[in-house]
Amino acid sequence: MHARYTWRTLTREVTLILVALVFLVPLVGLLNVSLKPQSSQTSALAFEFPPTLDNYVQAWNQASLGAALANSFAITALSVILIVACSAPAAYPLARVTRGWSRYTFYFLIGGLLVPGQLALLPLYATMRDAGLLGSLWSVVLINVGQQMPFSVFLYTMFLRELPPDYEEAALLDGCGPTRSFLTVVFPLLRPVTGTVVILNAVGIWNEFFTPLLYLGGSDNTTAPVAIYGFVSQYVSQWPLIFAGLVISVIPILVVYFALQKHIIKGFAGGLKG
């Protein structure tokens, strides 16, 4: 029996379409401006023909986007790998051990979500300076790992609490130690939440502006957002080049997002359910 199509259904669909259009307008403006000549004075939503790709060529060459994208990719990949490698093993005992210290340790880690990043800005900068890491990609990687660990541990812990321990108990009975049991049995079962951790952290780290600007400033290393910011000056902002650079920089992370999107809601919902 088919559900009746009521006015409420129609209202809901029209509302969703209108909301989608609201979110679509800025994207249309972004693409439209990136395809306009730099001398254009028309509105961002006014189309001009023929469109030009000169802005993409100039943005790529003038901002050295090739090297900047390579740095962004290296920082994002290393950060995400270390976040997963540290968060998953850290969450495992927090989810499986029922003693008081486990609960308090979990609350202590989650407390990191409440601490503003600006609070540790000067100490972290001084630490990176004393360690000789200013201007190095590793300074940004280490900062990213520290900042994203609490939320990643939270997701892994809550997902693990919903995961039955039957498989790992069977592995322990077969002679597997805790470490081997985690690596060979538990971790493969964490693929949904791992996909969520990967994409959420990758998007945030890829688009991060302030951290690379602070720790890589004055060096030859730069990331895509910082390189694109070079088109902004006090008196003149080259918007066609800025928007063309934004389009170029967003393509890699969109590819990763669409490749892992089926894991995002599943893993995130599992964490919230716990």
Side-chain angles (χ1 to χ4, degrees):
M1 181 177 180
H2 297 286
R4 291 194 308 167
Y5 190 85
T6 64
W7 66 270
R8 291 183 178 178
T9 304
L10 176 61
T11 303
R12 188 182 301 114
E13 291 180 350
V14 171
T15 303
L16 291 175
I17 291 174
L18 292 176
V19 171
L21 289 175
V22 170
F23 282 97
L24 189 62
V25 168
L27 296 178
V28 173
L30 173 69
L31 288 172
N32 189 34
V33 173
S34 71
L35 295 172
K36 287 184 177 184
Q38 295 188 44
S39 59
S40 174
Q41 300 295 323
T42 59
S43 167
L45 297 178
F47 295 97
E48 289 191 14
F49 295 96
T52 177
L53 296 176
D54 290 343
N55 295 324
Y56 289 87
V57 176
Q58 292 186 45
W60 181 271
N61 293 328
Q62 293 183 25
S64 301
L65 277 182
L69 288 172
N71 288 333
S72 290
F73 178 80
I75 289 173
T76 303
L78 289 171
S79 299
V80 169
I81 290 172
L82 288 175
I83 289 169
V84 171
C86 296
S87 300
Y92 183 53
L94 297 178
R96 289 291 184 253
V97 178
T98 58
R99 296 187 181 92
W101 67 263
S102 175
R103 183 171 64 255
Y104 294 129
T105 303
F106 176 71
Y107 292 150
F108 176 77
L109 287 173
I110 299 306
L113 295 172
L114 306 177
V115 179
Q118 295 82 354
L119 204 62
L121 196 60
L122 290 178
L124 286 175
Y125 186 87
T127 300
M128 293 299 170
R129 180 198 60 199
D130 296 341
L133 292 178
L134 288 182
S136 169
L137 299 183
W138 281 107
S139 62
V140 182
V141 170
L142 294 175
I143 295 297
N144 288 331
V145 173
Q147 288 178 338
Q148 303 304 324
M149 275 283 291
F151 185 63
S152 301
V153 169
F154 167 77
L155 287 179
Y156 272 118
T157 302
M158 304 312 290
F159 191 89
L160 277 163
R161 288 178 179 175
E162 292 295 312
L163 198 66
D166 300 346
Y167 294 105
E168 54 202 272
E169 289 175 354
L172 291 174
L173 290 175
D174 288 340
C176 284
T179 302
R180 185 180 176 187
S181 174
F182 172 77
L183 293 175
T184 59
V185 178
V186 178
F187 190 70
L189 297 175
L190 300 179
R191 279 180 296 180
V193 71
T194 298
T196 303
V197 170
V198 168
I199 191 60
L200 291 180
N201 285 302
V203 170
I205 293 170
W206 182 271
N207 294 320
E208 176 64 38
F209 172 76
F210 183 70
T211 301
L213 178 67
L214 179 64
Y215 294 99
L216 300 180
S219 71
D220 294 332
N221 294 322
T222 188
T223 59
V226 178
I228 294 170
Y229 182 69
F231 293 123
V232 179
S233 65
Q234 183 177 0
Y235 301 104
V236 179
S237 295
Q238 304 176 64
W239 293 112
L241 296 183
I242 293 172
F243 285 6
L246 289 174
V247 172
I248 293 173
S249 67
V250 81
I251 290 175
I253 201 64
L254 278 180
V255 172
V256 175
Y257 175 81
F258 286 124
L260 298 176
Q261 62 175 334
K262 66 179 181 179
H263 296 296
I264 297 175
I265 300 301
K266 186 176 179 181
F268 194 65
L272 293 178
K273 183 178 177 181

